[in-house]
Amino acid sequence: MDKNRVEGAKHQVKGGLKEAAGKLTGNKTKEAAGKLEKNAGKVQQDVGKAADAARRPKH
C-alpha cells in the first residue's frame, strides 16, 4: 500500500476532527482549516491509489 494512502487517511480524520471542533465552538477559521485538510487528505489518498494501481502487474 502506498504511503500516500495512509497519510491521506490520517489527514482526512484530523481534518474532520478540526472541522467538527470549529463547528462546535463557532470558530469559522478552524472549521475552514479542517475542511481544507480533509480535502487535501482525499486528494493525497487518491494519489496513493493511483500509484498502487500503476504498480500492479497487468495481465
Side-chain angles (χ1 to χ4, degrees):
M1 182 183 296
D2 190 80
K3 69 176 183 154
N4 281 313
R5 290 179 79 171
V6 175
E7 290 299 316
K10 285 185 201 177
H11 285 293
Q12 284 183 4
V13 170
K14 190 175 167 186
L17 291 173
K18 268 188 199 176
E19 182 181 4
K23 283 182 181 179
L24 187 66
T25 60
N27 185 335
K28 297 292 183 186
T29 304
K30 184 174 268 194
E31 184 179 346
K35 284 181 183 181
L36 282 173
E37 186 167 359
K38 191 166 68 171
N39 288 332
K42 286 179 185 178
V43 170
Q44 187 175 12
Q45 196 171 32
D46 289 342
V47 167
K49 285 179 186 177
D52 281 343
R55 281 193 290 267
R56 270 189 234 124
K58 298 190 177 28
H59 296 276

